[in-house]
Amino acid sequence: MSGAEVAGLAAEQRRPRATEVEQHGIDTIPDAERTSGPFDLFRIQFGGANTFATVILGTFPVLLGLDLVQAVAATVVGVVVGALILMPMGLFGPRTGTNNAVSSGAHFGVRGRVLGSFLSLLTAISFYSISVWVSGDALVGAATRLFGTGDSDLLRGVVYAVLGALVIVVVVYGYQLMLLVNKVVVLANTALMLLGLVAYATLFDPGYDPGPEAYALGGFWPTFVLSALIVMGNPISFGAFLGDWSRYIPAGTRPPRLLAATFLGQLATLVPFLFGVGTATLVAGEADYVFALIQVSPLWYAVLLMVVAFLGGMSTGVTSLYGTGLDFSSVFPRLDRVQASLFIGTLAFVFILVGRLVFDLLASVNAFIGAIVICTTPWMVILVIGYWVRRGYYSPADLQVFNQGRLGGRYWFRDGVNWRGMAAWIPSAVIGLLFANYPPLIEGPFRNAAGGVDVSLPTSIGLAAVVYLVLLVAFPEPRYVFGPRGPRFVPAKEAAMLPVADDPRASVHRAGRRRTPLETPAESIDR
């Protein structure tokens, strides 16, 4: 047996069982417990997106008035561009051993990284809610057709509660059970969606074209760009979460393998996206896409759609909620990972009931996706530039300072905040929102600056990149944040690093946590 085979066997032996409750929060994952690989990163992204939540996003190009060819083109553009932006976000976890929000402390400061935590909260609540909404609606629609149960707010509320509770159970158990759920979803939902080619063969019209008067924004290009941006929201939404899973991948994994796993994982989501595009043409004009689709489906496939809905709701909900539970167990130290997950899950469930039963679902989805794209993308751009100028160098121990109730270290900057990252992100997000056009809830005053075409994304990306690089050159960061090889392209300044010490203001609960060898002050000081 080769050395590689022996190592692989040892890793399998160390892999925890799916039914074991995960013990790690956002602390650094020890090398011995990094039992995943790039294929797991691919699978968990595809499984988490191979769901009805993604299908719903795939219906938007048709709902906004594009014909079939235009809708497919907008979908492909959105997925590919979003995947290219997302790719580098899988590099941080193996280097830092923690999630991307905590990793962002290297560029925003160990306290400033809370920005990433709130971005992940926005994303988690949005996609957890979408997954439970659409999966619950599919189950109610199928039950109405099969058993004549009828439709009511009470029935939908009960189904939402059951789905939401099951998601939280998986989240509480943690990464290994989540990985198992995604293994099942990748295969089962792909097969079931491909069966749709048979189920809808006689109903599908490849020449579907509602005409130019159907364009939601009055013209082709504004409608096309809005459609692509909504689709792009799906890969962008993974930006805050990739580190949740890639932190279980060994640090020595080659970056090209990680980049490829992320790109291919997102490219594979064209399966549910194109399912949404194709089936949306079958029920165009109907107020409730999910309910209407089940009514026009052959009976045998309506039953299968219940399976797709259930598995998909579990997968998307779990991948969304898991990372936010991790994050908030560090932002609010009195909550451990399980308690934080229960808290966020409860908050999201209240949002589900209010959003679904009080507000317009599609308008809510549109607005939240817009906010995610505009606010998260410049944050990602700053992290990627930071990774590049620092040559991928990070100190895992110094990233954990705030989480352990201490202060000082490489990433303390000024009171725990790196104002360079903040000063680049804030105007980028604000100006992006001013140019945004996600009707009817997000309509910036400059939305018509380019003839109605939404230019919020290139504006926010370009501004973040330019401002951040200018600040790094004009106000160099301390040399000790760059590691032994020094900076790339930007200058550095000589400065003394504040030694790591307990923060007297930190809560007894946080400061009293047992430290691992990686967390001792001696390991956190640059000698």
Side-chain angles (χ1 to χ4, degrees):
M1 182 178 293
S2 68
E5 291 171 331
V6 171
L9 179 59
E12 285 299 320
Q13 291 172 340
R14 290 193 302 269
R15 186 188 290 268
R17 294 189 301 273
T19 53
E20 293 181 24
V21 176
E22 183 182 7
Q23 299 303 310
H24 289 292
I26 42 71
D27 50 307
T28 306
I29 303 299
D31 292 341
E33 297 182 36
R34 298 194 185 191
T35 57
S36 292
F39 183 68
D40 291 316
L41 185 60
F42 162 86
R43 184 169 53 198
I44 205 165
Q45 288 181 75
F46 182 30
N50 195 24
T51 68
F52 249 101
T54 308
V55 169
I56 284 291
L57 296 181
T59 66
F60 271 85
V62 173
L63 296 179
L64 292 173
L66 298 181
D67 65 31
L68 181 63
V69 174
Q70 295 165 348
V72 169
T75 300
V76 172
V77 168
V79 168
V80 171
V81 174
L84 290 172
I85 295 173
L86 177 69
M87 282 170 60
M89 299 305 292
L91 299 176
F92 293 91
R95 295 293 180 100
T96 64
T98 188
N99 67 356
N100 282 355
V102 175
S103 299
S104 73
H107 308 292
F108 287 88
V110 291
R111 285 178 172 167
R113 69 88 174 169
V114 172
L115 168 63
S117 300
F118 281 97
L119 289 175
S120 70
L121 176 64
L122 173 67
T123 304
I125 290 179
S126 299
F127 279 84
Y128 174 79
S129 301
I130 293 170
S131 66
V132 174
W133 272 333
V134 298
S135 299
D137 287 354
L139 291 173
V140 170
T144 298
R145 179 173 178 185
L146 297 174
F147 310 116
T149 57
D151 187 12
S152 68
D153 289 343
L154 176 62
L155 177 60
R156 294 196 184 213
V158 170
V159 174
Y160 296 157
V162 171
L163 281 172
L166 288 173
V167 167
I168 292 175
V169 168
V170 177
V171 168
V172 166
Y173 273 94
Y175 176 76
Q176 295 298 335
L177 185 56
M178 179 176 65
L179 193 60
L180 177 61
V181 169
N182 277 273
K183 287 179 182 179
V184 174
V185 170
V186 164
L187 297 175
N189 272 12
T190 300
L192 292 173
M193 288 185 187
L194 291 177
L195 274 175
L197 296 174
V198 177
Y200 302 123
T202 59
L203 300 175
F204 181 67
D205 177 14
Y208 171 82
D209 183 0
E213 64 277 0
Y215 293 141
L217 299 186
F220 168 72
W221 282 113
T223 305
F224 182 90
V225 171
L226 175 61
S227 300
L229 287 174
I230 291 174
V231 170
M232 192 185 302
N234 194 68
I236 295 298
S237 72
F238 282 85
F241 297 123
L242 281 193
D244 300 343
W245 318 311
S246 64
R247 69 196 181 120
Y248 279 96
I249 297 175
T253 305
R254 294 175 59 245
R257 297 184 64 200
L258 297 169
L259 295 172
T262 295
F263 183 78
L264 294 175
Q266 294 301 321
L267 203 63
T269 65
L270 284 172
V271 172
F273 267 118
L274 295 180
F275 180 90
V277 171
T279 54
T281 65
L282 306 179
V283 294
E286 296 290 339
D288 191 327
Y289 159 79
V290 177
F291 197 90
L293 181 64
I294 288 176
Q295 305 312 307
V296 303
S297 299
L299 186 59
W300 63 271
Y301 197 68
V303 175
L304 292 180
L305 281 178
M306 294 179 68
V307 179
V308 173
F310 176 76
L311 292 177
M314 290 288 293
S315 183
T316 297
V318 167
T319 52
S320 298
L321 204 58
Y322 171 77
T324 304
L326 282 176
D327 247 0
F328 274 76
S329 65
S330 64
V331 175
F332 300 102
R334 293 191 177 278
L335 302 177
D336 60 23
R337 184 187 67 83
V338 173
Q339 293 168 333
S341 299
L342 291 172
F343 172 75
I344 298 300
T346 302
L347 180 65
F349 182 69
V350 172
F351 179 77
I352 289 170
L353 294 180
V354 174
R356 181 61 180 86
L357 303 179
V358 178
F359 297 106
D360 178 75
L361 173 60
L362 294 181
S364 301
V365 171
N366 198 9
F368 269 93
I369 294 299
I372 289 168
V373 170
I374 295 167
C375 294
T376 303
T377 306
W379 178 80
M380 293 165 58
V381 168
I382 292 168
L383 261 64
V384 171
I385 292 175
Y387 181 98
W388 183 73
V389 300
R390 295 191 191 173
R391 304 178 189 272
Y393 172 81
Y394 295 93
S395 171
D398 286 302
L399 286 170
Q400 297 290 340
V401 166
F402 171 73
N403 308 328
Q404 298 158 8
R406 299 189 289 165
L407 50 78
R410 284 180 177 83
Y411 308 124
W412 187 250
F413 299 102
R414 180 172 297 179
D415 293 325
V417 177
N418 186 352
W419 63 268
R420 300 166 186 82
M422 288 294 187
W425 178 80
I426 291 172
S428 302
V430 171
I431 292 176
L433 289 170
L434 294 178
F435 280 91
N437 190 18
Y438 290 83
L441 299 182
I442 299 181
E443 294 181 302
F446 305 139
R447 64 185 181 277
N448 293 319
V453 175
D454 191 317
V455 294
S456 58
L457 185 62
T459 300
S460 61
I461 288 177
L463 190 61
V466 171
V467 172
Y468 187 51
L469 283 171
V470 168
L471 291 175
L472 290 179
V473 172
F475 304 95
E477 293 181 317
R479 185 170 298 278
Y480 54 74
V481 304
F482 294 100
R485 298 174 61 193
R488 177 190 280 131
F489 182 71
V490 299
K493 69 178 181 180
E494 300 299 333
M497 182 174 67
L498 181 67
V500 175
D502 287 332
D503 183 353
R505 297 169 297 178
S507 69
V508 174
H509 180 88
R510 173 189 274 163
R513 284 180 174 175
R514 181 179 62 85
R515 291 177 182 157
T516 67
L518 279 173
E519 298 170 351
T520 59
E523 291 294 330
S524 299
I525 299 175
D526 188 16
R527 296 296 185 187

